[in-house]
Amino acid sequence: SGESGAGKTESTKLLLQHIMNLCKGNSQLEQQILQVNPLLEAFGNAQTVMNDNSSRFGKYIQLRFQNNTVRGAKLSEYLLEKSRVVRQDTGERNFHIFYYMFAGLSSEEKEMYGLLDPSLYRYISGRFGTEDVAQCWKQKYQEVCNALDMVGFQEQEQVDMQAILAGVLSLGNVTFEPEERNGSVKVSEASWGWLKAAAVSHKSQLACCVPCSPWSSSVSCCCYLCADARDSIAKVAYGRVFRWIVCKINELLAEKVDPEVELSEIGILDIFGFENFAVNRFEQLCINLANEQLQHFFNHHIFQLEQAAYKEEELPWETITFNNNEPILKLLLAKPLGLLSLLDEQSAFPQATDKTFVDKLNSSFKGNLHFQPGRGHVLGFSILHYAGKVQYSAGGFLEKNRDTLPATVRGLFINSVTPLLSVLFTGKILHVGLWQCFGLLIFLCPGQHSLMMLMERMYSANPHFVRCIKPNSQKEPGVVDSQVVLLQLRYNGLLETIRIRRDGFSWRPSFEEFAER
């Protein structure tokens, strides 16, 4: 765990390499486990203002062993930041794979996918990059292709996948205008070329993918809803592709042993770090909530269980106090009046808006020490997290929480003549995430119970915590800002951890080990 850009993903890769080296097997499976990273980073990472290679999803890696040899592995992904596909803030980029494709595809391949100059696409923000950067992206694209081959993607599957990605970009340029005759909305004349490019890429007509709400009060509102539907299609299509890639990886890495054989396991949780941007949205709340839960998990093991053991053995011990973040978790997760429960409640009402949601929060949490209403006419609120105060912009909270896709769109994809599109939307892809594991955002993944089991496993296992500390806020190598470091040491509870390690008992052999020694 740690802030965004502190080095969590890089530390995870080093830890995996270390474990593989300790196995000394050098088997094909061990190499495959190490080589899936380029694929995951290309589709799940992006440049942010805090980190040039920021993980925009969380992952839990389960390594399964028999006689100190890796026999299989499983990857669980959760909460991919799909909104990044359709919008990036200033100084940020879309997912890496889009830039890799523009840099790595040949002219003939770009023509086949209907790709033009990257500066023309609304979903691709900012400057494309220098020649050196483009060369680096070209090399990264080749690594992705090699990884796809290694994982076992068929050539046609790879073609279909890139066609979908190209179609997503073209779809983003489709705009809408009023229909003069009957007051409805149609695709604008200027964007018919983009619609055709998206339809060719998807091998299906997307004109019927932009449904308009029948209770819209105005044509301009209907145009807005159509644009929302367009963006929803893009986000869902990309999310399904990412989930499909993870499923293919798990097929490759699955253990091939007798089910009766008992395997030991090492699990590595690599979660996105605590974030506090100039503008913080629904995604940042989810990310920071997950970090709150991890901090609580850390506190539970390092402080509560440890000091309880000393008291049980009647050792002389002066209780060490720590920053307990349970009140913040109660504010966010309590039922029926926690923030997420109130968000669910508002999402169930068709007439509810982001403003009614904020009004509900202001009335429900008046006087709460960890909640502050937005000032002036700002539609938002602030949460005093364990790592500091974060101001959230409430715009889009209800829509993102609902995360719905029109049934007509789903049916269109299911009946697509492109086999991959049909597979992505028929529910054959099993989604395994982690949210229920932390007791978080269950409304995002209804009906899944595997995550609760995972949390039980984590609490029953022997956890080791890797705390990643960010040296500076400028993304500069070799520079240590002592104030930035000290702030992280304080809010992570590491100063109290040092004290409990110094005053406590760091080496605890069993009685049998002690007697034998």
Side-chain angles (χ1 to χ4, degrees), residues 71-89:
R71 301 306 300 267
K74 183 179 180 181
L75 176 72
S76 302
E77 53 86 13
Y78 55 103
L79 206 72
L80 177 71
E81 189 188 36
K82 295 181 294 184
S83 62
R84 181 167 294 271
V85 175
V86 301
R87 188 197 64 244
Q88 307 93 43
D89 289 328

Side-chain angles (χ1 to χ4, degrees), residues 446-476:
Q448 294 175 15
H449 303 290
S450 58
L451 307 179
M452 291 298 291
M453 295 168 57
L454 181 55
M455 195 62 201
E456 291 175 9
R457 187 183 303 153
M458 288 179 67
Y459 269 101
S460 64
N462 180 22
H464 297 261
F465 300 95
V466 181
R467 311 293 290 209
C468 300
I469 303 297
K470 193 172 184 176
N472 63 77
S473 301
Q474 287 72 46
K475 301 191 280 191
E476 291 292 333

